[in-house]
Amino acid sequence: TIDEGVWRQVIDYLPTQGFNTVLIDVGDAIQYETHPEISIKGAWSKDKLKKELDYMRSIGLTPIPKLNFSTASVFLFTPIGKL
């Protein structure tokens, strides 16, 4: 997890430098209701994440979540003859 003060400093700084988009690596730093065991210590709740996303949007940033998918998904979307 990141220090809250550092997080806010970085987020507030980005628009002043012309940034308008932020890629957020959500990973295991969110408390998932269906699988709480995968969250790390200090993980944000869904409400905390929503507040931060709303704040980013309010200062002109577009947040984009980076979600990790299993590499096995390649096999789901590759025709069998191409494997």
Side-chain angles (χ1 to χ4, degrees):
T1 61
I2 189 169
D3 177 89
E4 298 269 336
V6 172
W7 168 263
R8 186 48 55 97
Q9 284 179 331
V10 170
I11 294 302
D12 288 340
Y13 180 73
L14 294 174
T16 69
Q17 301 303 305
F19 287 85
N20 62 8
T21 305
V22 177
L23 180 67
I24 302 171
D25 188 355
V26 177
D28 51 7
I30 299 298
Q31 298 170 2
Y32 297 102
E33 293 174 6
T34 55
H35 292 284
E37 71 277 5
I38 65 172
S39 299
I40 61 172
K41 183 179 179 181
W44 285 359
S45 68
K46 285 184 358 183
D47 289 337
K48 169 69 174 165
L49 177 61
K50 183 181 179 332
K51 287 177 186 173
E52 290 299 322
L53 296 176
D54 289 344
Y55 177 73
M56 284 188 264
R57 290 181 185 110
S58 78
I59 62 171
L61 294 171
T62 300
I64 299 175
K66 176 189 168 281
L67 302 174
N68 297 326
F69 294 101
S70 171
T71 56
S73 64
V74 169
F75 296 106
L76 295 175
F77 300 109
T78 304
I80 292 176
K82 302 273 184 184
L83 292 177

